mmCIF file of all heavy atoms in Angstrom:
data_model
loop_
_atom_site.group_PDB
_atom_site.id
_atom_site.type_symbol
_atom_site.label_atom_id
_atom_site.label_comp_id
_atom_site.label_asym_id
_atom_site.label_seq_id
_atom_site.Cartn_x
_atom_site.Cartn_y
_atom_site.Cartn_z
ATOM 1 N N SER A 33 62.179 -20.320 19.812
ATOM 2 C CA SER A 33 61.918 -19.212 18.879
ATOM 3 C C SER A 33 62.107 -19.644 17.435
ATOM 4 O O SER A 33 61.382 -19.199 16.538
ATOM 5 C CB SER A 33 62.824 -18.018 19.192
ATOM 6 O OG SER A 33 62.436 -17.390 20.382
ATOM 7 N N VAL A 34 63.098 -20.526 17.191
ATOM 8 C CA VAL A 34 63.307 -21.026 15.839
ATOM 9 C C VAL A 34 62.092 -21.832 15.398
ATOM 10 O O VAL A 34 61.611 -21.707 14.264
ATOM 11 C CB VAL A 34 64.578 -21.897 15.770
ATOM 12 C CG1 VAL A 34 64.672 -22.596 14.412
ATOM 13 C CG2 VAL A 34 65.812 -21.050 16.004
ATOM 14 N N MET A 35 61.574 -22.660 16.301
ATOM 15 C CA MET A 35 60.375 -23.433 15.994
ATOM 16 C C MET A 35 59.201 -22.508 15.725
ATOM 17 O O MET A 35 58.420 -22.709 14.793
ATOM 18 C CB MET A 35 60.053 -24.378 17.158
ATOM 19 C CG MET A 35 61.082 -25.453 17.394
ATOM 20 S SD MET A 35 60.678 -26.474 18.830
ATOM 21 C CE MET A 35 59.126 -27.191 18.298
ATOM 22 N N LYS A 36 59.082 -21.462 16.556
ATOM 23 C CA LYS A 36 57.980 -20.512 16.405
ATOM 24 C C LYS A 36 58.001 -19.863 15.036
ATOM 25 O O LYS A 36 56.999 -19.837 14.316
ATOM 26 C CB LYS A 36 58.072 -19.443 17.494
ATOM 27 C CG LYS A 36 57.071 -18.312 17.324
ATOM 28 C CD LYS A 36 57.317 -17.214 18.342
ATOM 29 C CE LYS A 36 56.415 -16.015 18.094
ATOM 30 N NZ LYS A 36 56.688 -14.908 19.044
ATOM 31 N N TYR A 37 59.185 -19.322 14.644
ATOM 32 C CA TYR A 37 59.276 -18.653 13.359
ATOM 33 C C TYR A 37 59.202 -19.625 12.196
ATOM 34 O O TYR A 37 58.731 -19.274 11.113
ATOM 35 C CB TYR A 37 60.554 -17.810 13.293
ATOM 36 C CG TYR A 37 60.467 -16.567 14.129
ATOM 37 C CD1 TYR A 37 61.137 -16.471 15.348
ATOM 38 C CD2 TYR A 37 59.690 -15.491 13.732
ATOM 39 C CE1 TYR A 37 61.043 -15.335 16.135
ATOM 40 C CE2 TYR A 37 59.584 -14.356 14.512
ATOM 41 C CZ TYR A 37 60.270 -14.278 15.715
ATOM 42 O OH TYR A 37 60.166 -13.153 16.496
ATOM 43 N N GLY A 38 59.618 -20.848 12.435
ATOM 44 C CA GLY A 38 59.464 -21.874 11.413
ATOM 45 C C GLY A 38 58.001 -22.161 11.138
ATOM 46 O O GLY A 38 57.572 -22.271 9.985
ATOM 47 N N PHE A 39 57.211 -22.266 12.207
ATOM 48 C CA PHE A 39 55.781 -22.485 12.053
ATOM 49 C C PHE A 39 55.112 -21.287 11.382
ATOM 50 O O PHE A 39 54.192 -21.443 10.574
ATOM 51 C CB PHE A 39 55.123 -22.762 13.405
ATOM 52 C CG PHE A 39 55.326 -24.170 13.895
ATOM 53 C CD1 PHE A 39 55.864 -24.418 15.144
ATOM 54 C CD2 PHE A 39 54.965 -25.245 13.097
ATOM 55 C CE1 PHE A 39 56.053 -25.715 15.593
ATOM 56 C CE2 PHE A 39 55.154 -26.551 13.539
ATOM 57 C CZ PHE A 39 55.696 -26.792 14.797
ATOM 58 N N LEU A 40 55.571 -20.064 11.726
ATOM 59 C CA LEU A 40 55.003 -18.873 11.104
ATOM 60 C C LEU A 40 55.278 -18.866 9.604
ATOM 61 O O LEU A 40 54.404 -18.519 8.799
ATOM 62 C CB LEU A 40 55.579 -17.612 11.751
ATOM 63 C CG LEU A 40 55.104 -17.282 13.164
ATOM 64 C CD1 LEU A 40 55.870 -16.081 13.705
ATOM 65 C CD2 LEU A 40 53.604 -17.002 13.182
ATOM 66 N N MET A 41 56.499 -19.246 9.217
ATOM 67 C CA MET A 41 56.837 -19.307 7.802
ATOM 68 C C MET A 41 56.016 -20.376 7.090
ATOM 69 O O MET A 41 55.505 -20.167 5.981
ATOM 70 C CB MET A 41 58.335 -19.617 7.637
ATOM 71 C CG MET A 41 58.795 -19.688 6.187
ATOM 72 S SD MET A 41 58.613 -18.110 5.339
ATOM 73 C CE MET A 41 59.957 -17.206 6.119
ATOM 74 N N TRP A 42 55.853 -21.521 7.767
ATOM 75 C CA TRP A 42 55.040 -22.589 7.183
ATOM 76 C C TRP A 42 53.605 -22.127 7.009
ATOM 77 O O TRP A 42 52.973 -22.371 5.972
ATOM 78 C CB TRP A 42 55.084 -23.819 8.097
ATOM 79 C CG TRP A 42 54.326 -24.994 7.535
ATOM 80 C CD1 TRP A 42 54.793 -25.963 6.714
ATOM 81 C CD2 TRP A 42 52.950 -25.312 7.782
ATOM 82 N NE1 TRP A 42 53.799 -26.867 6.425
ATOM 83 C CE2 TRP A 42 52.667 -26.497 7.064
ATOM 84 C CE3 TRP A 42 51.942 -24.712 8.532
ATOM 85 C CZ2 TRP A 42 51.399 -27.080 7.073
ATOM 86 C CZ3 TRP A 42 50.679 -25.288 8.537
ATOM 87 C CH2 TRP A 42 50.419 -26.459 7.819
ATOM 88 N N ASP A 43 53.077 -21.428 8.022
ATOM 89 C CA ASP A 43 51.714 -20.907 7.955
ATOM 90 C C ASP A 43 51.554 -19.965 6.768
ATOM 91 O O ASP A 43 50.557 -20.010 6.046
ATOM 92 C CB ASP A 43 51.361 -20.155 9.245
ATOM 93 C CG ASP A 43 50.694 -21.061 10.269
ATOM 94 O OD1 ASP A 43 50.367 -22.212 9.914
ATOM 95 O OD2 ASP A 43 50.506 -20.619 11.411
ATOM 96 N N SER A 44 52.556 -19.086 6.559
ATOM 97 C CA SER A 44 52.478 -18.119 5.480
ATOM 98 C C SER A 44 52.489 -18.798 4.114
ATOM 99 O O SER A 44 51.694 -18.466 3.234
ATOM 100 C CB SER A 44 53.643 -17.124 5.585
ATOM 101 O OG SER A 44 53.593 -16.183 4.545
ATOM 102 N N LEU A 45 53.387 -19.762 3.944
ATOM 103 C CA LEU A 45 53.467 -20.485 2.677
ATOM 104 C C LEU A 45 52.205 -21.303 2.442
ATOM 105 O O LEU A 45 51.664 -21.340 1.329
ATOM 106 C CB LEU A 45 54.701 -21.393 2.668
ATOM 107 C CG LEU A 45 56.053 -20.688 2.661
ATOM 108 C CD1 LEU A 45 57.173 -21.700 2.829
ATOM 109 C CD2 LEU A 45 56.235 -19.884 1.382
ATOM 110 N N MET A 46 51.736 -21.973 3.494
ATOM 111 C CA MET A 46 50.519 -22.765 3.382
ATOM 112 C C MET A 46 49.317 -21.877 3.078
ATOM 113 O O MET A 46 48.454 -22.218 2.266
ATOM 114 C CB MET A 46 50.283 -23.542 4.685
ATOM 115 C CG MET A 46 49.013 -24.403 4.689
ATOM 116 S SD MET A 46 49.045 -25.705 3.443
ATOM 117 C CE MET A 46 50.248 -26.813 4.169
ATOM 118 N N LEU A 47 49.286 -20.700 3.722
ATOM 119 C CA LEU A 47 48.188 -19.769 3.517
ATOM 120 C C LEU A 47 48.106 -19.332 2.061
ATOM 121 O O LEU A 47 47.029 -19.352 1.453
ATOM 122 C CB LEU A 47 48.372 -18.555 4.433
ATOM 123 C CG LEU A 47 47.318 -17.444 4.330
ATOM 124 C CD1 LEU A 47 45.929 -17.980 4.644
ATOM 125 C CD2 LEU A 47 47.664 -16.310 5.297
ATOM 126 N N ARG A 48 49.226 -18.937 1.487
ATOM 127 C CA ARG A 48 49.227 -18.503 0.089
ATOM 128 C C ARG A 48 48.815 -19.630 -0.850
ATOM 129 O O ARG A 48 48.043 -19.418 -1.787
ATOM 130 C CB ARG A 48 50.612 -18.000 -0.310
ATOM 131 C CG ARG A 48 50.983 -16.652 0.258
ATOM 132 C CD ARG A 48 52.246 -16.110 -0.355
ATOM 133 N NE ARG A 48 52.092 -15.855 -1.774
ATOM 134 C CZ ARG A 48 53.053 -15.397 -2.563
ATOM 135 N NH1 ARG A 48 54.260 -15.159 -2.056
ATOM 136 N NH2 ARG A 48 52.851 -15.184 -3.834
ATOM 137 N N SER A 49 49.332 -20.824 -0.594
ATOM 138 C CA SER A 49 49.037 -21.970 -1.445
ATOM 139 C C SER A 49 47.555 -22.315 -1.422
ATOM 140 O O SER A 49 46.935 -22.539 -2.471
ATOM 141 C CB SER A 49 49.873 -23.172 -0.998
ATOM 142 O OG SER A 49 49.551 -24.319 -1.749
ATOM 143 N N LEU A 50 46.975 -22.334 -0.228
ATOM 144 C CA LEU A 50 45.558 -22.673 -0.098
ATOM 145 C C LEU A 50 44.652 -21.550 -0.587
ATOM 146 O O LEU A 50 43.591 -21.799 -1.164
ATOM 147 C CB LEU A 50 45.234 -22.993 1.363
ATOM 148 C CG LEU A 50 45.816 -24.281 1.933
ATOM 149 C CD1 LEU A 50 45.495 -24.391 3.422
ATOM 150 C CD2 LEU A 50 45.235 -25.494 1.195
ATOM 151 N N ALA A 51 45.069 -20.315 -0.351
ATOM 152 C CA ALA A 51 44.197 -19.182 -0.636
ATOM 153 C C ALA A 51 44.109 -18.846 -2.113
ATOM 154 O O ALA A 51 43.086 -18.344 -2.576
ATOM 155 C CB ALA A 51 44.680 -17.959 0.143
ATOM 156 N N ARG A 52 45.165 -19.118 -2.869
ATOM 157 C CA ARG A 52 45.243 -18.644 -4.258
ATOM 158 C C ARG A 52 44.029 -19.021 -5.117
ATOM 159 O O ARG A 52 43.401 -18.147 -5.717
ATOM 160 C CB ARG A 52 46.530 -19.161 -4.886
ATOM 161 C CG ARG A 52 46.798 -18.661 -6.296
ATOM 162 C CD ARG A 52 47.237 -17.225 -6.284
ATOM 163 N NE ARG A 52 47.473 -16.736 -7.649
ATOM 164 C CZ ARG A 52 47.881 -15.516 -7.941
ATOM 165 N NH1 ARG A 52 48.103 -14.649 -6.981
ATOM 166 N NH2 ARG A 52 48.065 -15.140 -9.188
#
Side-chain angles (χ1 to χ4, degrees):
S33 289
V34 171
M35 295 177 62
K36 173 186 174 183
Y37 287 105
F39 281 126
L40 288 175
M41 181 64 73
W42 183 89
D43 268 351
S44 180
L45 293 173
M46 179 63 72
L47 179 59
R48 286 190 64 181
S49 176
L50 290 175
R52 184 74 181 181

